[in-house]
Amino acid sequence: GAVVSQHPSWVICKSGTSVKIECRSLDFQATTMFWYRQFPKQSLMLMATSNEGSKATYEQGVEKDKFLINHASLTLSTLTVTSAHPEDSSFYICSARQGAHGGETQYFGPGTRLLVL
Amino acid sequence: AQSVTQLGSHVSVSEGALVLLRCNYSSSVPPYLFWYVQYPNQGLQLLLKYTSAATLVKGINGFEAEFKKSETSFHLTKPSAHMSDAAEYFCAVRGDTGANSKLTFGKGITLSVRP
């Protein structure tokens, strides 16, 4: 199957700093990428959908100024957590969509664990 | 609107026993259905998907699922559990296509495999 990578796999930062997470589709081009957040023992919560070359669409309740998403190319999307606080600590997972016309499949990255101290 | 129901949060089976993880969906249009597996501290891996072709879908690692429209179900099965199958399993539905289509996930089921 298609491969999606994320970097870094884990990060620890001080409160108030910003953290950037990269998501890459390694062997396919993805016009659409997704960012999810997952709390322990819970399902994935969609944060935003990003389409290459356009602004991201955020889900209700997600602060767009807090979670900056850039999808500058067909293989790269970045999530920047600005002025991170302890409550932002979580497991962040990106996903890239492959295919079109009903055959689309989402492939997921390995996740990034963020700990804000 | 679309939704997924995965009843129960935990299933425990003995090694070699049948695995059955239940998933029911709701969708206003013909759905696309997926099962993903998540191992600890990892992302999600696609097990299999239903996209309106054959109703019995075979996936990786010996898993399969059957789409039953009359029951709005897409249960995941494996004839013989292996210790390495212990993980979190998510069922997901996508009820439309195109640039704005999104996956909706169930809350997940933890599968434990006893020796």
Side-chain angles (χ1 to χ4, degrees), chain A residues 32 34 36 38 41-44 46 49 51 57 59 91 93 97 101-111 113, chain B residues 32 34 36 38 41-46 49 51 88 90 94 96-103 105-108 110:
Chain A
T32 304
F34 305 84
Y36 295 83
Q38 186 180 32
K41 303 294 184 182
Q42 294 188 28
S43 189
L44 280 71
L46 179 64
T49 302
N51 290 296
T57 302
E59 296 299 301
F91 193 50
I93 305 175
R97 185 160 65 194
H101 306 302
E104 302 97 335
T105 299
Q106 280 184 229
Y107 294 93
F108 288 78
R113 189 162 301 282
Chain B
Y32 297 92
F34 306 81
Y36 288 90
Q38 184 180 32
N41 298 309
Q42 295 187 28
L44 274 66
Q45 180 182 5
L46 179 66
K49 63 179 180 180
T51 57
E88 189 82 8
F90 293 95
R94 191 181 75 238
D96 53 13
T97 61
N100 296 320
S101 64
K102 303 174 188 178
L103 281 178
F105 286 90
K107 61 181 177 61
T110 301

Short mmCIF file of all heavy atoms in Angstrom, two decimals, chain A residues 32 34 36 38 41-44 46 49 51 57 59 91 93 97 101-111 113, chain B residues 32 34 36 38 41-46 49 51 88 90 94 96-103 105-108 110:
data_model
loop_
_atom_site.label_atom_id
_atom_site.label_comp_id
_atom_site.label_asym_id
_atom_site.label_seq_id
_atom_site.Cartn_x
_atom_site.Cartn_y
_atom_site.Cartn_z
N THR A 32 -5.22 15.92 -1.32
CA THR A 32 -5.89 16.17 -0.05
C THR A 32 -5.20 15.42 1.07
O THR A 32 -4.91 14.23 0.94
CB THR A 32 -7.37 15.74 -0.10
OG1 THR A 32 -8.03 16.41 -1.18
CG2 THR A 32 -8.08 16.10 1.21
N PHE A 34 -5.18 15.13 5.56
CA PHE A 34 -6.00 15.34 6.74
C PHE A 34 -5.12 15.30 7.99
O PHE A 34 -4.14 14.57 8.05
CB PHE A 34 -7.06 14.24 6.86
CG PHE A 34 -7.94 14.07 5.67
CD1 PHE A 34 -7.53 13.30 4.59
CD2 PHE A 34 -9.18 14.69 5.59
CE1 PHE A 34 -8.32 13.13 3.47
CE2 PHE A 34 -9.99 14.53 4.49
CZ PHE A 34 -9.56 13.75 3.42
N TYR A 36 -5.42 14.65 12.14
CA TYR A 36 -6.25 14.13 13.22
C TYR A 36 -5.52 14.28 14.55
O TYR A 36 -4.29 14.33 14.61
CB TYR A 36 -6.55 12.64 13.01
CG TYR A 36 -7.39 12.31 11.80
CD1 TYR A 36 -6.81 12.18 10.54
CD2 TYR A 36 -8.76 12.10 11.91
CE1 TYR A 36 -7.57 11.86 9.42
CE2 TYR A 36 -9.52 11.77 10.80
CZ TYR A 36 -8.92 11.65 9.57
OH TYR A 36 -9.69 11.32 8.46
N GLN A 38 -5.62 12.38 18.41
CA GLN A 38 -6.13 11.21 19.12
C GLN A 38 -5.72 11.26 20.58
O GLN A 38 -4.53 11.34 20.89
CB GLN A 38 -5.62 9.91 18.47
CG GLN A 38 -6.23 8.65 19.06
CD GLN A 38 -5.70 7.38 18.41
OE1 GLN A 38 -4.55 7.33 17.99
NE2 GLN A 38 -6.54 6.36 18.33
N LYS A 41 -6.87 6.02 24.29
CA LYS A 41 -8.01 5.11 24.30
C LYS A 41 -9.23 5.69 23.59
O LYS A 41 -10.36 5.28 23.87
CB LYS A 41 -8.38 4.73 25.74
CG LYS A 41 -7.25 4.12 26.53
CD LYS A 41 -6.85 2.77 25.96
CE LYS A 41 -5.77 2.12 26.82
NZ LYS A 41 -5.33 0.83 26.25
N GLN A 42 -9.01 6.63 22.70
CA GLN A 42 -10.14 7.21 21.98
C GLN A 42 -9.93 7.12 20.48
O GLN A 42 -8.85 6.76 20.00
CB GLN A 42 -10.33 8.67 22.40
CG GLN A 42 -10.76 8.84 23.84
CD GLN A 42 -11.13 10.29 24.15
OE1 GLN A 42 -11.56 11.02 23.27
NE2 GLN A 42 -10.97 10.68 25.40
N SER A 43 -10.98 7.45 19.76
CA SER A 43 -10.90 7.42 18.31
C SER A 43 -10.21 8.67 17.79
O SER A 43 -9.79 9.54 18.55
CB SER A 43 -12.31 7.31 17.73
OG SER A 43 -12.25 7.06 16.34
N LEU A 44 -10.08 8.73 16.50
CA LEU A 44 -9.43 9.87 15.88
C LEU A 44 -10.42 11.02 15.72
O LEU A 44 -11.55 10.82 15.30
CB LEU A 44 -8.90 9.49 14.49
CG LEU A 44 -7.58 8.74 14.44
CD1 LEU A 44 -7.73 7.33 14.95
CD2 LEU A 44 -7.02 8.74 13.03
N LEU A 46 -10.98 14.41 13.66
CA LEU A 46 -10.51 15.19 12.52
C LEU A 46 -10.36 16.64 12.92
O LEU A 46 -11.30 17.24 13.45
CB LEU A 46 -11.48 15.05 11.35
CG LEU A 46 -11.13 15.82 10.08
CD1 LEU A 46 -9.82 15.31 9.47
CD2 LEU A 46 -12.26 15.73 9.06
N THR A 49 -8.89 19.56 7.08
CA THR A 49 -8.64 18.98 5.76
C THR A 49 -7.86 20.01 4.96
O THR A 49 -8.26 21.18 4.91
CB THR A 49 -9.96 18.68 5.05
OG1 THR A 49 -10.73 17.80 5.86
CG2 THR A 49 -9.71 18.04 3.69
N ASN A 51 -6.17 20.96 1.22
CA ASN A 51 -6.04 20.68 -0.20
C ASN A 51 -4.85 21.47 -0.74
O ASN A 51 -4.67 22.64 -0.40
CB ASN A 51 -7.31 21.08 -0.95
CG ASN A 51 -8.46 20.16 -0.62
OD1 ASN A 51 -8.43 18.97 -0.91
ND2 ASN A 51 -9.47 20.70 0.03
N THR A 57 -9.42 23.57 5.60
CA THR A 57 -10.76 23.65 6.15
C THR A 57 -10.73 23.02 7.53
O THR A 57 -10.43 21.83 7.67
CB THR A 57 -11.77 22.90 5.26
OG1 THR A 57 -11.74 23.46 3.95
CG2 THR A 57 -13.17 23.01 5.84
N GLU A 59 -12.29 21.83 11.22
CA GLU A 59 -13.51 21.32 11.84
C GLU A 59 -13.96 22.29 12.94
O GLU A 59 -13.16 23.08 13.49
CB GLU A 59 -13.30 19.94 12.41
CG GLU A 59 -12.98 18.89 11.37
CD GLU A 59 -14.10 18.71 10.36
OE1 GLU A 59 -15.24 18.38 10.77
OE2 GLU A 59 -13.85 18.91 9.15
N PHE A 91 -1.54 12.91 20.55
CA PHE A 91 -0.99 12.14 19.44
C PHE A 91 -1.62 12.69 18.17
O PHE A 91 -2.84 12.68 18.02
CB PHE A 91 -1.34 10.66 19.64
CG PHE A 91 -0.60 9.70 18.75
CD1 PHE A 91 0.78 9.77 18.63
CD2 PHE A 91 -1.27 8.71 18.06
CE1 PHE A 91 1.48 8.88 17.82
CE2 PHE A 91 -0.58 7.81 17.25
CZ PHE A 91 0.80 7.90 17.13
N ILE A 93 -1.97 12.62 14.10
CA ILE A 93 -1.81 11.70 12.97
C ILE A 93 -2.25 12.38 11.69
O ILE A 93 -3.32 13.00 11.65
CB ILE A 93 -2.65 10.42 13.16
CG1 ILE A 93 -2.32 9.75 14.49
CG2 ILE A 93 -2.43 9.44 12.01
CD1 ILE A 93 -3.21 8.53 14.79
N ARG A 97 -4.81 11.22 1.05
CA ARG A 97 -5.79 10.50 0.24
C ARG A 97 -5.22 10.20 -1.14
O ARG A 97 -4.71 11.08 -1.83
CB ARG A 97 -7.07 11.31 0.12
CG ARG A 97 -8.18 10.56 -0.61
CD ARG A 97 -9.54 11.13 -0.30
NE ARG A 97 -9.68 12.49 -0.78
CZ ARG A 97 -10.66 13.30 -0.41
NH1 ARG A 97 -11.55 12.89 0.46
NH2 ARG A 97 -10.74 14.51 -0.90
N HIS A 101 -12.57 9.61 -7.79
CA HIS A 101 -13.80 9.11 -8.38
C HIS A 101 -14.36 7.90 -7.66
O HIS A 101 -14.72 6.90 -8.27
CB HIS A 101 -13.57 8.77 -9.86
CG HIS A 101 -13.00 9.91 -10.63
ND1 HIS A 101 -13.60 11.14 -10.73
CD2 HIS A 101 -11.84 10.02 -11.31
CE1 HIS A 101 -12.85 11.94 -11.46
NE2 HIS A 101 -11.78 11.31 -11.82
N GLY A 102 -14.44 8.00 -6.33
CA GLY A 102 -15.05 6.94 -5.55
C GLY A 102 -14.08 5.89 -5.06
O GLY A 102 -14.39 5.14 -4.14
N GLY A 103 -12.91 5.83 -5.66
CA GLY A 103 -11.95 4.82 -5.24
C GLY A 103 -10.93 5.33 -4.26
O GLY A 103 -9.92 4.68 -3.99
N GLU A 104 -11.22 6.52 -3.69
CA GLU A 104 -10.22 7.12 -2.81
C GLU A 104 -10.00 6.30 -1.55
O GLU A 104 -10.95 5.76 -0.98
CB GLU A 104 -10.66 8.53 -2.38
CG GLU A 104 -10.91 9.49 -3.51
CD GLU A 104 -12.39 9.58 -3.87
OE1 GLU A 104 -13.12 8.61 -3.61
OE2 GLU A 104 -12.79 10.62 -4.40
N THR A 105 -8.76 6.24 -1.15
CA THR A 105 -8.40 5.58 0.10
C THR A 105 -7.48 6.49 0.87
O THR A 105 -6.60 7.12 0.29
CB THR A 105 -7.71 4.24 -0.18
OG1 THR A 105 -8.61 3.39 -0.89
CG2 THR A 105 -7.31 3.55 1.12
N GLN A 106 -7.70 6.57 2.17
CA GLN A 106 -6.82 7.35 3.02
C GLN A 106 -5.76 6.45 3.64
O GLN A 106 -6.09 5.39 4.20
CB GLN A 106 -7.60 8.05 4.14
CG GLN A 106 -8.31 9.30 3.68
CD GLN A 106 -8.99 10.02 4.82
OE1 GLN A 106 -10.15 10.39 4.74
NE2 GLN A 106 -8.28 10.23 5.92
N TYR A 107 -4.52 6.91 3.54
CA TYR A 107 -3.41 6.22 4.18
C TYR A 107 -2.87 7.12 5.28
O TYR A 107 -2.81 8.35 5.12
CB TYR A 107 -2.33 5.88 3.14
CG TYR A 107 -2.81 4.87 2.13
CD1 TYR A 107 -3.37 5.28 0.92
CD2 TYR A 107 -2.74 3.51 2.40
CE1 TYR A 107 -3.84 4.35 0.01
CE2 TYR A 107 -3.20 2.57 1.48
CZ TYR A 107 -3.76 3.00 0.30
OH TYR A 107 -4.23 2.08 -0.61
N PHE A 108 -2.50 6.48 6.38
CA PHE A 108 -2.15 7.24 7.57
C PHE A 108 -0.66 7.18 7.87
O PHE A 108 0.01 6.17 7.63
CB PHE A 108 -2.94 6.70 8.77
CG PHE A 108 -4.39 7.04 8.72
CD1 PHE A 108 -5.26 6.33 7.91
CD2 PHE A 108 -4.88 8.10 9.47
CE1 PHE A 108 -6.61 6.66 7.85
CE2 PHE A 108 -6.23 8.43 9.42
CZ PHE A 108 -7.09 7.72 8.61
N GLY A 109 -0.18 8.28 8.41
CA GLY A 109 1.18 8.32 8.89
C GLY A 109 1.29 7.61 10.24
O GLY A 109 0.28 7.24 10.84
N PRO A 110 2.51 7.45 10.73
CA PRO A 110 2.74 6.73 11.99
C PRO A 110 2.42 7.55 13.23
O PRO A 110 2.44 7.02 14.33
CB PRO A 110 4.23 6.39 11.93
CG PRO A 110 4.81 7.45 11.08
CD PRO A 110 3.77 7.80 10.06
N GLY A 111 2.13 8.84 13.05
CA GLY A 111 1.77 9.66 14.19
C GLY A 111 2.94 10.39 14.82
O GLY A 111 4.10 9.98 14.69
N ARG A 113 3.83 12.10 18.58
CA ARG A 113 3.40 12.31 19.96
C ARG A 113 4.01 13.60 20.47
O ARG A 113 5.24 13.76 20.47
CB ARG A 113 3.80 11.14 20.85
CG ARG A 113 3.18 11.23 22.25
CD ARG A 113 3.21 9.91 22.98
NE ARG A 113 2.50 8.85 22.28
CZ ARG A 113 1.17 8.71 22.28
NH1 ARG A 113 0.42 9.58 22.91
NH2 ARG A 113 0.60 7.70 21.64
N TYR B 32 -18.84 3.90 1.35
CA TYR B 32 -17.57 3.22 1.24
C TYR B 32 -17.15 2.90 2.68
O TYR B 32 -17.23 3.76 3.55
CB TYR B 32 -16.53 4.11 0.56
CG TYR B 32 -16.92 4.45 -0.86
CD1 TYR B 32 -17.63 5.61 -1.15
CD2 TYR B 32 -16.57 3.60 -1.91
CE1 TYR B 32 -17.99 5.92 -2.45
CE2 TYR B 32 -16.93 3.91 -3.21
CZ TYR B 32 -17.64 5.07 -3.47
OH TYR B 32 -18.01 5.37 -4.75
N PHE B 34 -14.42 0.97 5.54
CA PHE B 34 -13.02 0.63 5.76
C PHE B 34 -12.82 0.04 7.15
O PHE B 34 -13.53 0.39 8.10
CB PHE B 34 -12.15 1.90 5.66
CG PHE B 34 -12.33 2.67 4.38
CD1 PHE B 34 -13.39 3.55 4.23
CD2 PHE B 34 -11.42 2.53 3.34
CE1 PHE B 34 -13.56 4.27 3.05
CE2 PHE B 34 -11.58 3.25 2.16
CZ PHE B 34 -12.65 4.12 2.02
N TYR B 36 -9.50 -0.29 9.72
CA TYR B 36 -8.10 0.05 9.98
C TYR B 36 -7.66 -0.61 11.29
O TYR B 36 -8.47 -0.80 12.20
CB TYR B 36 -7.91 1.56 10.13
CG TYR B 36 -8.05 2.35 8.85
CD1 TYR B 36 -9.28 2.86 8.44
CD2 TYR B 36 -6.92 2.63 8.06
CE1 TYR B 36 -9.39 3.61 7.27
CE2 TYR B 36 -7.03 3.38 6.90
CZ TYR B 36 -8.26 3.86 6.52
OH TYR B 36 -8.37 4.60 5.36
N GLN B 38 -4.68 -0.33 14.42
CA GLN B 38 -3.67 0.54 15.02
C GLN B 38 -2.94 -0.23 16.11
O GLN B 38 -3.55 -0.66 17.10
CB GLN B 38 -4.31 1.80 15.60
CG GLN B 38 -3.29 2.78 16.16
CD GLN B 38 -3.94 4.04 16.72
OE1 GLN B 38 -5.06 3.99 17.23
NE2 GLN B 38 -3.25 5.15 16.60
N ASN B 41 1.08 3.09 19.82
CA ASN B 41 1.96 4.20 19.46
C ASN B 41 2.27 4.27 17.95
O ASN B 41 3.35 4.73 17.56
CB ASN B 41 3.26 4.13 20.25
CG ASN B 41 3.01 4.26 21.73
OD1 ASN B 41 2.33 5.18 22.16
ND2 ASN B 41 3.53 3.32 22.50
N GLN B 42 1.36 3.79 17.15
CA GLN B 42 1.54 3.85 15.71
C GLN B 42 0.31 4.47 15.06
O GLN B 42 -0.73 4.66 15.69
CB GLN B 42 1.78 2.45 15.13
CG GLN B 42 3.08 1.81 15.61
CD GLN B 42 3.35 0.50 14.89
OE1 GLN B 42 2.92 0.29 13.75
NE2 GLN B 42 4.06 -0.39 15.55
N GLY B 43 0.46 4.79 13.78
CA GLY B 43 -0.68 5.28 13.02
C GLY B 43 -1.59 4.15 12.62
O GLY B 43 -1.47 3.03 13.12
N LEU B 44 -2.52 4.44 11.74
CA LEU B 44 -3.49 3.43 11.30
C LEU B 44 -3.03 2.75 10.02
O LEU B 44 -2.52 3.40 9.11
CB LEU B 44 -4.85 4.09 11.05
CG LEU B 44 -5.76 4.25 12.27
CD1 LEU B 44 -5.17 5.21 13.27
CD2 LEU B 44 -7.15 4.71 11.83
N GLN B 45 -3.26 1.47 9.97
CA GLN B 45 -2.93 0.69 8.77
C GLN B 45 -4.22 0.16 8.17
O GLN B 45 -5.06 -0.40 8.88
CB GLN B 45 -2.00 -0.47 9.15
CG GLN B 45 -1.59 -1.33 7.97
CD GLN B 45 -0.70 -2.49 8.38
OE1 GLN B 45 -0.44 -2.72 9.56
NE2 GLN B 45 -0.20 -3.22 7.40
N LEU B 46 -4.38 0.32 6.87
CA LEU B 46 -5.59 -0.15 6.20
C LEU B 46 -5.59 -1.66 6.14
O LEU B 46 -4.67 -2.28 5.63
CB LEU B 46 -5.66 0.43 4.79
CG LEU B 46 -6.87 0.01 3.96
CD1 LEU B 46 -8.15 0.58 4.55
CD2 LEU B 46 -6.69 0.48 2.51
N LYS B 49 -11.07 -2.61 2.44
CA LYS B 49 -12.06 -1.58 2.13
C LYS B 49 -13.14 -2.15 1.22
O LYS B 49 -12.89 -3.05 0.42
CB LYS B 49 -11.40 -0.37 1.48
CG LYS B 49 -10.74 -0.67 0.13
CD LYS B 49 -10.14 0.60 -0.46
CE LYS B 49 -9.49 0.30 -1.81
NZ LYS B 49 -8.88 1.53 -2.42
N THR B 51 -15.81 -0.89 -1.65
CA THR B 51 -16.12 0.25 -2.51
C THR B 51 -17.15 -0.11 -3.57
O THR B 51 -17.02 0.26 -4.73
CB THR B 51 -14.84 0.76 -3.19
OG1 THR B 51 -14.23 -0.31 -3.92
CG2 THR B 51 -13.85 1.30 -2.19
N GLU B 88 -5.78 -2.23 18.26
CA GLU B 88 -7.02 -1.47 18.22
C GLU B 88 -7.54 -1.48 16.79
O GLU B 88 -6.77 -1.28 15.84
CB GLU B 88 -6.75 -0.02 18.67
CG GLU B 88 -7.99 0.82 18.88
CD GLU B 88 -8.62 0.58 20.24
OE1 GLU B 88 -8.01 -0.10 21.07
OE2 GLU B 88 -9.74 1.09 20.47
N PHE B 90 -10.42 -0.03 14.06
CA PHE B 90 -11.38 1.03 13.78
C PHE B 90 -12.12 0.75 12.48
O PHE B 90 -11.50 0.45 11.45
CB PHE B 90 -10.67 2.39 13.63
CG PHE B 90 -10.06 2.89 14.90
CD1 PHE B 90 -8.72 2.66 15.18
CD2 PHE B 90 -10.81 3.61 15.82
CE1 PHE B 90 -8.14 3.14 16.35
CE2 PHE B 90 -10.24 4.08 16.99
CZ PHE B 90 -8.91 3.84 17.25
N ARG B 94 -17.27 6.35 4.63
CA ARG B 94 -17.28 7.58 3.86
C ARG B 94 -18.49 7.51 2.95
O ARG B 94 -18.62 6.61 2.15
CB ARG B 94 -16.00 7.74 3.03
CG ARG B 94 -15.86 9.13 2.41
CD ARG B 94 -14.62 9.28 1.58
NE ARG B 94 -14.74 8.60 0.30
CZ ARG B 94 -13.92 7.65 -0.11
NH1 ARG B 94 -12.92 7.27 0.64
NH2 ARG B 94 -14.08 7.09 -1.29
N ASP B 96 -19.64 9.82 0.80
CA ASP B 96 -19.66 10.57 -0.44
C ASP B 96 -18.28 10.54 -1.05
O ASP B 96 -17.36 9.96 -0.51
CB ASP B 96 -20.13 12.01 -0.20
CG ASP B 96 -19.30 12.69 0.87
OD1 ASP B 96 -18.24 12.15 1.25
OD2 ASP B 96 -19.71 13.74 1.34
N THR B 97 -18.14 11.16 -2.18
CA THR B 97 -16.85 11.20 -2.85
C THR B 97 -16.51 12.64 -3.19
O THR B 97 -17.29 13.54 -2.94
CB THR B 97 -16.86 10.37 -4.16
OG1 THR B 97 -17.84 10.95 -5.03
CG2 THR B 97 -17.23 8.93 -3.88
N GLY B 98 -15.34 12.83 -3.68
CA GLY B 98 -14.95 14.17 -4.07
C GLY B 98 -14.06 14.83 -3.06
O GLY B 98 -13.72 14.27 -2.02
N ALA B 99 -13.72 16.06 -3.37
CA ALA B 99 -12.73 16.77 -2.57
C ALA B 99 -13.15 16.97 -1.12
O ALA B 99 -12.31 17.08 -0.23
CB ALA B 99 -12.43 18.13 -3.20
N ASN B 100 -14.43 17.05 -0.86
CA ASN B 100 -14.89 17.34 0.50
C ASN B 100 -15.29 16.09 1.28
O ASN B 100 -15.82 16.20 2.38
CB ASN B 100 -16.05 18.32 0.46
CG ASN B 100 -15.64 19.67 -0.09
OD1 ASN B 100 -14.54 20.16 0.20
ND2 ASN B 100 -16.49 20.25 -0.92
N SER B 101 -15.10 14.93 0.72
CA SER B 101 -15.50 13.73 1.43
C SER B 101 -14.58 13.46 2.61
O SER B 101 -13.39 13.77 2.58
CB SER B 101 -15.48 12.52 0.48
OG SER B 101 -14.18 12.26 0.04
N LYS B 102 -15.16 12.91 3.67
CA LYS B 102 -14.40 12.66 4.90
C LYS B 102 -14.74 11.29 5.44
O LYS B 102 -15.84 10.79 5.27
CB LYS B 102 -14.76 13.70 5.97
CG LYS B 102 -14.57 15.13 5.58
CD LYS B 102 -15.12 16.04 6.68
CE LYS B 102 -15.12 17.47 6.25
NZ LYS B 102 -15.69 18.36 7.29
N LEU B 103 -13.77 10.73 6.13
CA LEU B 103 -14.00 9.49 6.85
C LEU B 103 -14.61 9.79 8.21
O LEU B 103 -14.20 10.73 8.88
CB LEU B 103 -12.69 8.74 7.08
CG LEU B 103 -12.08 7.94 5.93
CD1 LEU B 103 -10.76 7.33 6.37
CD2 LEU B 103 -13.03 6.87 5.45
N PHE B 105 -15.05 7.81 11.78
CA PHE B 105 -14.57 6.62 12.47
C PHE B 105 -15.49 6.21 13.60
O PHE B 105 -16.14 7.04 14.25
CB PHE B 105 -13.18 6.90 13.08
CG PHE B 105 -12.07 6.95 12.08
CD1 PHE B 105 -11.72 8.14 11.46
CD2 PHE B 105 -11.39 5.80 11.73
CE1 PHE B 105 -10.70 8.18 10.53
CE2 PHE B 105 -10.37 5.83 10.80
CZ PHE B 105 -10.03 7.02 10.20
N GLY B 106 -15.52 4.91 13.84
CA GLY B 106 -16.11 4.41 15.06
C GLY B 106 -15.14 4.67 16.20
O GLY B 106 -14.01 5.11 16.00
N LYS B 107 -15.57 4.36 17.41
CA LYS B 107 -14.72 4.65 18.57
C LYS B 107 -13.63 3.62 18.77
O LYS B 107 -12.74 3.82 19.60
CB LYS B 107 -15.57 4.79 19.82
CG LYS B 107 -16.36 3.54 20.19
CD LYS B 107 -17.20 3.78 21.43
CE LYS B 107 -18.05 2.57 21.79
NZ LYS B 107 -17.26 1.37 22.08
N GLY B 108 -13.67 2.55 18.00
CA GLY B 108 -12.61 1.56 18.08
C GLY B 108 -12.89 0.43 19.04
O GLY B 108 -13.66 0.57 19.99
N THR B 110 -10.70 -2.71 21.10
CA THR B 110 -9.41 -3.31 21.45
C THR B 110 -9.54 -4.82 21.39
O THR B 110 -10.40 -5.40 22.05
CB THR B 110 -8.98 -2.88 22.86
OG1 THR B 110 -8.89 -1.46 22.92
CG2 THR B 110 -7.62 -3.49 23.20
#
